[in-house]
Amino acid sequence: LSMQLAGTTTNANTALSIMSDQYIDILITDIRMPEMDGLTLLKKAKLIHPEIRSIIISAYDDFEYVKHALQLGVENYLLKPINTEELNSTLYKIFKDLDCMTESTLSQDMFAFRNNILDRWVTGNIQDFELYERARLLNMDLSAPYYQICVLKVLNHNEVDEKFKYVSQLLDITRTIMSPLFGGEYFIDNSFFVILLLYGDLIPSLQNELKSSLGKIHNKASTAGIDFFCSIGPLTNDPLKVNMSYKSAVMYLDYRLLYTE
């Protein structure tokens, strides 16, 4: 396992001091110690690091100790003499759980980061140098010959939670129908619009297919009880002018100059 020992001590207060100075993932503590018992130490440790994992070691197979330890969410209660295989197995389980949590958090963070950059790109709220820098990091295509924006606005759902549910469903439907034919980015912007940021060299020749695909999205969304308006912004060959296509599409929504089938 790729773990680093943060510190050892026979004093609970020293252990708390160590935890105050650095982030600790796992606490292994004896029940009986001078000045403070292991369960009290764990309670205080959780005030410093609420997500800390713990293993309790004890020479006492006492039901009350075990019960309190379980209430504090310990990973294992090991009796002395310690079974090395059981300790290693517990550490391995904690390590895998922490690894999965880290990957999940990183994935969620990157998803939110990508959505933020996409939203700022289409709304024109990002500087050129930052866009190109972030595009390299996120594998966004700023070298395509054509770009075009479509905006889908869900209707008749004003409550935020309800609206987000239907907008998310519409995004899934859109991605399923559009992605086999069109390269691009599909996301929800800060106005709760589903945004299709399409790019590629064939976009000008696929305008009829684009309208047909939007019609298929409309039909499938209708069966799920989702009503929406959609609009198509003009083509641009400059990634730095994508915001103009977006603004035009939003304006068409306002004036109801919309495509429907």
Side-chain angles (χ1 to χ4, degrees):
L1 299 180
S2 178
M3 293 185 176
Q4 180 179 349
L5 181 63
T8 61
T9 180
T10 58
N11 184 289
N13 286 317
T14 303
L16 291 171
S17 178
I18 292 172
M19 281 182 269
S20 296
D21 292 337
Q22 58 183 307
Y23 189 85
I24 304 296
D25 289 304
I26 306 171
L27 169 66
I28 303 175
T29 181
D30 204 324
I31 283 283
R32 293 288 181 90
M33 293 183 297
E35 300 181 13
M36 187 186 303
D37 65 80
L39 295 179
T40 302
L41 169 61
L42 179 54
K43 290 177 183 177
K44 293 190 175 185
K46 282 181 171 291
L47 295 176
I48 301 172
H49 300 306
E51 302 300 325
I52 196 168
R53 307 299 184 93
S54 58
I55 299 172
I56 297 292
I57 299 170
S58 178
Y60 305 96
D61 188 10
D62 184 284
F63 174 73
E64 286 302 315
Y65 279 137
V66 176
K67 183 176 73 173
H68 287 311
L70 292 175
Q71 288 172 342
L72 290 170
V74 298
E75 302 294 325
N76 208 341
Y77 188 103
L78 301 178
L79 293 175
K80 298 177 182 179
I82 298 172
N83 183 318
T84 304
E85 289 186 4
E86 186 176 6
L87 174 60
N88 288 338
S89 175
T90 303
L91 286 171
Y92 181 77
K93 177 182 178 298
I94 296 173
F95 177 81
K96 295 302 290 183
D97 286 347
L98 290 171
D99 196 41
C100 289
M101 286 178 62
T102 300
E103 289 183 3
S104 175
T105 300
L106 286 173
S107 177
Q108 292 174 11
D109 288 346
M110 185 58 75
F111 176 80
F113 177 63
R114 185 184 189 87
N115 256 39
N116 175 263
I117 297 302
L118 287 169
D119 187 89
R120 291 171 63 198
W121 180 10
V122 301
T123 57
N125 292 315
I126 188 170
Q127 295 188 39
D128 300 355
F129 73 89
E130 185 183 359
L131 175 59
Y132 279 98
E133 181 185 77
R134 298 295 186 261
R136 283 194 297 271
L137 174 65
L138 299 171
N139 294 317
M140 295 176 181
D141 190 353
L142 299 186
S143 62
Y146 296 102
Y147 299 84
Q148 189 169 29
I149 292 286
C150 297
V151 176
L152 281 58
K153 178 181 179 180
V154 171
L155 307 174
N156 304 326
H157 299 292
N158 296 321
E159 293 295 329
V160 173
D161 290 343
E162 183 182 46
K163 192 178 189 75
F164 185 76
K165 180 183 76 171
Y166 283 104
V167 171
S168 297
Q169 284 182 276
L170 182 58
L171 175 63
D172 290 339
I173 292 170
T174 299
R175 192 178 278 126
T176 299
I177 292 175
M178 298 292 292
S179 57
L181 187 59
F182 295 91
E185 305 283 351
Y186 307 90
F187 65 101
I188 300 170
D189 73 0
N190 287 333
S191 299
F192 286 101
F193 296 156
V194 173
I195 304 300
L196 290 65
L197 168 52
L198 309 177
Y199 50 70
D201 56 351
L202 297 178
I203 298 297
S205 62
L206 292 174
Q207 294 300 293
N208 288 333
E209 286 81 355
L210 172 58
K211 293 179 181 180
S212 176
S213 295
L214 289 171
K216 293 176 183 177
I217 294 170
H218 180 268
N219 292 337
K220 190 165 185 178
S222 294
T223 63
I226 304 171
D227 295 322
F228 68 93
F229 284 128
C230 59
S231 61
I232 305 172
L235 284 162
T236 178
N237 57 9
D238 186 346
L240 301 179
K241 294 182 179 179
V242 162
N243 64 306
M244 302 305 295
S245 183
Y246 173 85
K247 289 178 180 178
S248 294
V250 172
M251 181 186 69
Y252 298 155
L253 279 179
D254 291 338
Y255 285 96
R256 301 296 186 261
L257 301 176
L258 310 170
Y259 166 76
T260 58
E261 180 176 276

